[in-house]
Amino acid sequence: MRLLILATSTGAFFNLYQLQAVYPWLAARLEASLTQAGWLNMATLLGMMFAAPFASRWTRRLAPVNAILAGIGLLVVLNALLAASATLTGLWLVRLAQGVVLPCVLTACVALLAGAENERQRAQWVGLFVTGTIAGSTLSRFYPAWALDTLGWAGGFGSAAGLLGVVWLILLRQRRHTPEYAASAAQPPFRALLKKALAETRLRLAFIVGFSLLFTQSAIFTALGLKLAQPPFLQSAAQIGLVYLASLPAIAAVLASPRLYQNRREAPFFAAFIALVWLSLSIIGQGYASIVAGVVLFSVGTYLLQTLTTRLVSRAERVPAAFASGVYLGFYYAGGALGAILSAAIFSRAGFAGVLGLVAAVQLAAMGAISASSLGAGKRRRPSAKA
C-alpha cells in the first residue's frame, strides 16, 4: 500500500511542471514569448482547477486503484502526444488535457489515505503522498529539461512516456495489495456537498492556504526559470532543471514531519512554515549559490505546508474525503494557474522583485480571508445573548 501511494503521487506530479524549465526550447522551437511561456505553464493547472471539484464524481463507480491505473495510462498517452506537438496551440491543448486527468488520479489516492486505520498510519501515508509530490514535481522540472537537451524534443517526451509506463506496471503489481473496495452509495447533489465542505472550518482553512500555497510556489518557480534563462545567467534548459533538484532535501523534512506534530493541532505550525518560506525568499539574490540555498529552504517550507493541508483534507467530517480533496485541488490549482500566468507577465515588466510583491499581496489577502472566516465561525458558535 505504501509503494502504491508513493508511486501514484510521484507518477501524477511528474506531469505537472514539465514546461517550467524548458523556456529556451519553447523560444527556439515555437518562438514563445515570456508571456506565452507562462500560459503554457498555466494550461495544466487550469485544467486541474476546473476538473478537480468533479473528479470524485467521475471516478466514484471505480475502485480507487482502478481509477489510478486508468488515469496514469491516459497520462502515458498524453506524454507521447507531447512528443509529437509542433505548435503552441497543440502543446497547450495536450497540457490542458493532462490537467483534466491528474485530479482524477489524486482524488482516488486521497480516498485511499482516508481509509487509514488510525492517525499514526494516516500520518505515515500522508508523508509518503507528499514525498511523491516532491519527487514527482522535482522530476517534472528536471527530467524534461535534461532529456530535451540530451535526446531532443520527441525523444525527451517519448522517454517521459516510457517512465510513466514503468510506473503503471508498478501500480498494476501493487493492486492486489489494496483492500476490497465497496462501491459508494449515491451521493447528495454537488451543490449540497460543496455547501457542507465550505461550512467545515478545517476544510475552509485548507482551501485558502492551498490556493495561496500553490500560487506562491508556481509564481516563484516560473519566475526563477525565466530569471535563469536571461542575463547574467543564460542557463540552458538542463542547467535550469538542475536548480530545481534543490527541492529534494524537502523529502527528509516531510518524512520526519509526522513526529513533529503527531497528536498536536496543525494550526500553530502554519505561521512557522510561512515564516520559513519568506526567509528562503529573502535569501534568493543575484548569486547562483544564494538561489540554490533559497530553493532548498523554499521547498522545505512549502511542502511542509502541503503536509498540513493534506492532513486536514483527509480528515474531512461532513463530506467524503475524495470530494473534499477535489474541492481542495480546485482551489490549489486555481492558485497555481494564476501564479504561473501573472508571474510571467509581471516578471517581464518588473523582474523578480515585482513577483515577490505579487506573492506578498496574495498571502496577505489569504491571511485576511482566514481571519474573516475564523471570526465568522466564532460568531456562529457563540450563543446569543438572548438565549
Side-chain angles (χ1 to χ4, degrees), residues 31 104 156 186 190 192 199 225 246 282 295 313 321 333 349:
E31 299 181 349
C104 297
F190 176 85
S282 70
V295 169
V313 170
Y333 289 107
R349 293 172 174 82

Side-chain angles (χ1 to χ4, degrees), residues 55-77:
S56 65
R57 287 184 166 259
W58 296 341
T59 60
R60 70 179 184 272
R61 296 186 183 278
L62 294 174
V65 68
N66 290 337
I68 289 169
L69 283 168
I72 296 293
L74 283 172
L75 291 170
V76 172
V77 174

Side-chain angles (χ1 to χ4, degrees), residues 157-180:
F157 283 114
S159 65
L163 289 175
L164 278 173
V166 173
V167 171
W168 189 88
L169 291 174
I170 292 172
L171 294 171
L172 183 64
R173 287 180 60 85
Q174 290 296 309
R175 179 168 59 175
R176 65 176 180 269
H177 299 304
T178 58
E180 291 295 325

Side-chain angles (χ1 to χ4, degrees), residues 204-274:
R204 284 202 309 275
L205 175 62
F207 299 158
I208 296 170
V209 173
F211 176 91
S212 62
L213 171 59
L214 197 59
F215 185 100
T216 298
Q217 196 175 59
S218 183
I220 294 299
F221 279 144
T222 296
L224 192 58
L226 298 176
K227 177 185 176 81
L228 291 170
Q230 295 183 332
F233 300 102
L234 294 174
Q235 301 282 288
S236 68
Q239 290 170 323
I240 295 171
L242 282 171
V243 173
Y244 292 122
L245 288 181
S247 298
L248 290 178
I251 290 176
V254 167
L255 290 177
S257 64
R259 293 187 178 184
L260 182 65
Y261 46 73
Q262 191 171 3
N263 299 324
R264 297 185 180 95
R265 293 175 62 248
E266 292 91 347
F269 291 94
F270 281 103
F273 295 160
I274 291 171

